[in-house]
Amino acid sequence: MLELKMLKVIQPNESPPPVAIKPPSRKIKVGLVQLNNSFSDQYYLPLSVGMLQAYAKRHLVYANDYEFGIPIHQFMRIEEASELLSDNDIVGFSSYVWNEQNTLAIARDYKRRKPNGLVVFGGPQVPDSKKQFRRVRTDDLTPEELKSGRIHFTEDYHRANPTIDIACHGEGERIFRHILEQMAIDDCYDKSRIPSASYLDADSNFHFNNKLERMGDKELAQTPSPFTTGVFDKLMNAFPFLKWIKNVETNRGCPYTCTYCDWGGATEDRIAKFLLEQIYTDIMWGGEHEIPYEFVCDANFGIFPRDIQIAEFYAECKAKYKHLQGVSTQNAKNPKKHTIEALKTLQRAGLNKAAVMSQQSLNPATLKAVERDNMELDEYLEMQNMAAKEGIYTMTDYIIPMPEETPESVVDGISTLIANGQHNRIQINNLSVLKNTKMANREYQERYAYEIVRTKIINTHGKKMTSISGIDEWQELVIGTNTMPGGLWLGTRTFCWATGLFYFNKLLQIPLIVLNQEYGLKYGEAIKLLCEDFHKYGSFPVLEEIRNLFLETAENMRKGGEEFIHAPQWLDIYWPPEEYALIKLCAENKLSSFYKETEKLLSIVVNNRSDSVPNDLISDAIMLNHGLIKIPFQTEDIQINISHNVWSIYKAVVTGEKVKLTRGQYPHIIDRTTEQWNSWEEWCEKVVWWGNRQGAYLYGNRNPMPDLEGHH
């Protein structure tokens, strides 16, 4: 077995990183910037820069000689931000895909106001030309890596952004601490000893210093919490009326090196753990400060047995402080029984906001191409089915168009996930290229013939508004590959939105489950019929209208248009196309026509396949599904009488069981009055939006928990 050799900071002929041996000649003023979006009028506490400050305050030799200002955490006018920073000697910027252009603009204006100020950049948007996309690492790049176009990424970045004095690569806490130490020594004139840093010198020569080895458990134990050490006190006191959201890390790292993700590659495969004692106090701090939502930033929550205990901490916090409403997690890619137990603990406490179980693709060729073929697919599907049986709300992430993926493999993958128990939500995302991924390498993109378009970043369920600063943020979306060129991508994207509308928004989930169980009609085949192949069987105007909506949206995306649909008449926000289609059907009074068309279509197709289908089975399933869809303005309960045990079959499937089809008298009284919505606006928000994660679109499935824009 090959031994994993990690990168080292100190080579035999090198000096150690800088540490001040005397106090600085003046108090050094430090500014920090981490621009986060506001979600539903709530703001993230700036965790990344908070960690920098907390670590520096503990480990700087002369910590009292540094003065940290209130971090800039929200988007604002560029001039306003740079004015707030203008008195600082050094400013650290945390750069992400959603804030890169605004962050660069603030840095430029700060430098205009204070030419001698030091600008330091870190974060995922700082490209690393020394990234080694391989399991076994050495201190140097291989000859093949030296030939890659990536070798110029960091230098090109510095030359394109001369405002940046120092760029940091990897975990920032120790790097930033040594930059501050060098500030005390010589105002950071000599940058040669700062580990994991790149820069242009006074003669415009490019330098990339040797990299630090990643932090392990021992080092993370010496990394203090920004919450309990008071780092955020000034910020929260300065904005007493703001509502806050909190991120928390319980571990750091990812054992996988997926080519589309900068998580595993950025942390070089290894997972290090924060102390349980610190995690506990951080969680309780959130309760004490009345923070309603927490997002666990682990790449694989539930990967360790101790994560059950962390889930219990959250349950204790909810019981003690009452304010905590939801905890979102990104779950282990190879989930184990303790993963499910941790999720059950959150579920019992009423905190599980549909845990994310990332799959991304089920196509073996794709998994190999994206270096995800070490996932245990059978085990994953077993855990998904177990979660369904336990009543745990999960959501599966899928991405299109991944390399080697075809329209057929996407349809098969979606069918498999549903058949194996995912009935809450498959969130089918658009593939975007991130800078510090293997997928960003020119050679990788050429190999799979990527078609890429640059589009504005907008938030799901976010308001349509002009940027406060006048500067937009952008992403690079993949809208075609050699196995799914642009024309085929259009149809695949349409199929994926149709899956969301017909199955996970519950419009046809009951009949599709019944027909799958009783007559073997595959889920993907049925959805493809409803969004594409219906033309073969006659005229279906409502289905045609839905298809055209999806195709037009996809065509617009190919031209650089928006991913989501803005609806001024429905909350004046951006809706995912499948949610927009649901609203249109209901608000424009086309739901009955939709069900008539789908009953006719499914009856034709199924009867062509089998002559043993009871004439009224499909109408029973359609009638029940129609009656259960939540709609506004209802003042009376209704009774539906059907001739088959459709509801029993449906409930058995979604809980991982099986019930035999029987004929008889099956009356159903549908409670339409316990939950009521007396306006389209209220229904759009509380049902269509808030119900998304758990697919809570049928009467009897309550979803009282508010959701946040930008999140699924």
Side-chain angles (χ1 to χ4, degrees):
M1 182 175 179
L2 291 172
E3 180 183 356
L4 185 68
K5 184 179 181 183
M6 304 304 296
L7 298 168
K8 303 294 183 183
V9 58
I10 302 173
Q11 304 302 319
N13 299 319
E14 290 182 336
S15 300
V19 175
I21 58 174
K22 63 179 181 180
S25 59
R26 69 189 188 288
K27 180 156 285 194
I28 296 172
K29 294 185 177 181
V30 184
L32 295 168
V33 179
Q34 182 184 338
L35 301 179
N36 291 323
N37 289 305
S38 167
F39 293 110
S40 307
D41 297 320
Q42 299 181 69
Y43 291 85
Y44 283 110
L45 289 164
L47 178 64
S48 293
V49 296
M51 296 287 286
L52 298 184
Q53 181 175 336
Y55 188 90
K57 288 177 68 175
R58 174 172 292 183
H59 293 285
L60 281 168
V61 176
Y62 299 102
N64 292 333
D65 291 288
Y66 296 82
E67 180 182 322
F68 288 84
I70 296 174
I72 294 179
H73 71 286
Q74 58 184 311
F75 288 83
M76 60 180 66
R77 291 186 306 106
I78 301 302
E79 297 79 8
E80 181 183 359
S82 62
E83 173 64 27
L84 291 171
L85 296 168
S86 60
D87 196 36
N88 290 294
D89 302 296
I90 174 174
V91 180
F93 295 85
S94 188
S95 181
Y96 295 80
V97 66
W98 62 78
N99 69 23
E100 180 181 26
Q101 299 307 315
N102 278 266
T103 299
L104 286 167
I106 294 171
R108 286 192 293 269
D109 207 53
Y110 162 76
K111 201 74 166 179
R112 177 185 64 81
R113 293 174 183 269
K114 190 160 187 172
N116 293 326
L118 193 75
V119 169
V120 178
F121 262 57
Q125 285 303 102
V126 176
D128 184 351
S129 59
K130 288 189 175 183
K131 282 292 279 291
Q132 298 181 19
F133 300 99
R134 46 193 165 96
R135 296 270 173 199
V136 180
R137 291 177 168 82
T138 62
D139 292 325
D140 300 309
L141 299 176
T142 65
E144 182 181 348
E145 288 166 337
L146 288 169
K147 294 177 184 177
S148 169
R150 183 174 199 91
I151 198 69
H152 304 292
F153 273 19
T154 307
E155 181 175 357
D156 291 347
Y157 180 75
H158 277 284
R159 297 198 185 282
N161 300 288
T163 299
I164 299 173
D165 295 300
I166 302 175
C168 303
H169 305 278
E171 296 167 301
E173 289 91 347
R174 291 171 299 170
I175 310 170
F176 196 65
R177 176 254 170 132
H178 288 301
I179 291 171
L180 293 178
E181 297 280 14
Q182 192 69 43
M183 285 287 293
I185 296 169
D186 63 358
D187 281 339
C188 221
Y189 177 79
D190 179 8
K191 304 177 182 65
S192 63
R193 293 165 55 205
I194 299 169
S196 299
S198 61
Y199 60 96
L200 297 176
D201 65 21
D203 297 320
S204 198
N205 298 309
F206 172 68
H207 300 266
F208 199 140
N209 297 342
N210 283 306
K211 282 183 157 185
L212 279 166
E213 183 178 341
R214 273 198 57 237
M215 292 190 196
D217 292 353
K218 181 179 178 181
E219 289 80 12
L220 284 187
Q222 299 300 314
T223 303
S225 163
F227 305 109
T228 56
T229 57
V231 165
F232 294 130
D233 289 355
K234 284 185 180 180
L235 173 63
M236 298 176 78
N237 290 336
F239 298 94
F241 302 111
L242 287 189
K243 299 175 183 177
W244 298 101
I245 313 170
K246 177 169 161 274
N247 286 337
V248 65
E249 288 182 293
T250 78
N251 63 58
R252 184 179 289 180
C254 180
Y256 309 110
T257 55
C258 307
T259 63
Y260 53 85
C261 178
D262 60 7
W263 215 329
T267 51
E268 299 172 351
D269 300 347
R270 199 171 87 190
I271 301 180
K273 300 186 287 291
F274 285 88
L275 292 173
L276 276 174
E277 293 85 349
Q278 179 169 314
I279 296 166
Y280 178 83
T281 55
D282 280 354
I283 290 172
M284 293 304 160
W285 182 93
E288 292 167 5
H289 289 78
E290 301 184 4
I291 292 178
Y293 296 104
E294 295 216 1
F295 291 85
V296 178
C297 297
D298 305 353
N300 296 275
F301 180 75
I303 197 169
F304 299 118
R306 76 170 196 161
D307 291 343
I308 298 172
Q309 191 172 354
I310 293 170
E312 290 170 349
F313 293 165
Y314 276 114
E316 181 182 341
C317 180
K318 170 74 177 289
K320 183 174 182 179
Y321 293 106
K322 313 300 181 187
H323 303 287
L324 186 59
Q325 297 179 33
V327 177
S328 288
T329 59
Q330 182 82 19
N331 294 304
K333 311 303 182 288
N334 279 336
K336 308 294 182 184
K337 289 185 178 179
H338 54 256
T339 310
I340 300 300
E341 188 59 38
L343 296 178
K344 282 172 61 178
T345 301
L346 292 176
Q347 184 91 350
R348 286 193 295 265
L351 292 172
N352 181 20
K353 288 178 64 63
V356 178
M357 300 178 72
S358 298
Q359 192 58 52
Q360 318 307 13
S361 175
L362 266 65
N363 181 30
T366 297
L367 296 174
K368 183 176 181 180
V370 300
E371 299 178 17
R372 198 181 172 92
D373 52 335
N374 60 329
M375 305 293 182
E376 300 295 336
L377 182 57
D378 291 343
E379 192 173 74
Y380 180 96
L381 295 175
E382 180 186 348
M383 288 299 114
Q384 178 183 279
N385 198 30
M386 184 184 298
K389 288 181 179 180
E390 294 286 351
I392 296 171
Y393 289 111
T394 64
M395 183 174 72
T396 301
D397 271 352
Y398 210 92
I399 301 176
I400 64 165
M402 298 279 260
E404 302 291 357
E405 196 84 84
T406 65
E408 294 76 19
S409 68
V410 171
V411 172
D412 289 345
I414 298 302
S415 283
T416 300
L417 286 170
I418 295 174
N420 280 274
Q422 183 49 277
H423 304 291
N424 296 319
R425 176 70 57 185
I426 299 176
Q427 186 66 40
I428 308 172
N429 300 304
N430 300 308
L431 175 61
S432 62
V433 178
L434 302 175
K435 284 187 178 180
N436 278 315
T437 63
K438 190 172 184 177
M439 197 169 281
N441 291 357
R442 183 184 65 232
E443 296 84 357
Y444 192 96
Q445 294 177 12
E446 290 174 351
R447 178 179 179 183
Y448 296 107
Y450 274 16
E451 300 173 41
I452 296 175
V453 65
R454 190 167 179 257
T455 70
K456 288 182 183 179
I457 296 176
I458 53 178
N459 293 324
T460 317
H461 303 129
K463 292 283 187 182
K464 186 180 181 72
M465 61 180 65
T466 303
S467 166
I468 295 173
S469 65
I471 297 173
D472 292 312
E473 299 295 339
W474 299 84
Q475 62 184 338
E476 291 187 338
L477 289 184
V478 181
I479 45 84
T481 68
N482 57 350
T483 55
M484 193 189 292
L488 294 180
W489 174 85
L490 285 174
T492 307
R493 183 64 269 186
T494 295
F495 166 82
C496 293
W497 284 327
T499 300
L501 174 65
F502 299 139
Y503 197 81
F504 294 108
N505 289 359
K506 302 297 196 293
L507 275 182
L508 292 170
Q509 192 176 73
I510 294 174
L512 293 183
I513 282 179
V514 170
L515 293 176
N516 172 267
Q517 293 296 298
E518 299 305 319
Y519 302 102
L521 183 62
K522 292 183 178 180
Y523 293 107
E525 180 185 354
I527 294 165
K528 194 167 181 290
L529 168 70
L530 292 160
C531 72
E532 181 178 337
D533 295 342
F534 60 83
H535 292 108
K536 303 173 184 177
Y537 302 96
S539 175
F540 300 91
V542 178
L543 291 178
E544 185 76 44
E545 183 180 347
I546 293 169
R547 172 176 166 77
N548 289 339
L549 170 67
F550 290 161
L551 280 175
E552 289 168 8
T553 304
E555 284 279 15
N556 185 49
M557 283 177 58
R558 288 187 71 197
K559 298 172 184 176
E562 296 165 337
E563 294 178 84
F564 309 118
I565 301 174
H566 178 242
Q569 70 277 39
W570 297 316
L571 301 183
D572 193 26
I573 63 176
Y574 280 104
W575 294 96
E578 63 269 34
E579 292 181 11
Y580 182 87
L582 172 63
I583 294 169
K584 274 180 63 70
L585 281 174
C586 296
E588 295 176 4
N589 200 28
K590 294 178 180 177
L591 205 56
S592 294
S593 297
F594 167 80
Y595 280 113
K596 287 179 182 178
E597 288 188 12
T598 53
E599 181 179 345
K600 175 185 174 183
L601 177 63
L602 291 173
S603 296
I604 293 172
V605 172
V606 174
N607 283 311
N608 285 344
R609 293 166 59 110
S610 172
D611 57 7
S612 63
V613 180
N615 292 331
D616 51 358
L617 176 59
I618 294 175
S619 63
D620 278 357
I622 291 283
M623 186 189 310
L624 182 59
N625 206 140
H626 187 181
L628 284 167
I629 288 289
K630 295 177 178 178
I631 52 177
F633 310 114
Q634 302 306 299
T635 58
E636 295 180 357
D637 299 340
I638 63 171
Q639 179 169 324
I640 294 176
N641 299 305
I642 58 178
S643 303
H644 297 86
N645 60 334
V646 167
W647 182 247
S648 296
I649 293 172
Y650 171 72
K651 292 300 289 182
V653 169
V654 298
T655 56
E657 305 295 337
K658 188 173 178 64
V659 170
K660 184 178 179 181
L661 176 68
T662 58
R663 175 177 284 277
Q665 296 297 318
Y666 295 93
H668 293 271
I669 297 175
I670 298 175
D671 178 0
R672 288 187 164 191
T673 54
T674 298
E675 285 188 287
Q676 291 183 317
W677 309 277
N678 298 314
S679 70
W680 286 111
E681 291 76 14
E682 184 184 18
W683 175 80
C684 283
E685 180 180 52
K686 294 182 178 179
V687 176
V688 183
W689 175 0
W690 294 1
N692 177 283
R693 279 184 167 229
Q694 298 182 2
Y697 297 135
L698 302 182
Y699 283 108
N701 187 341
R702 296 181 62 84
N703 188 64
M705 187 183 296
D707 209 346
L708 304 177
E709 70 181 70
H711 288 283
H712 280 295

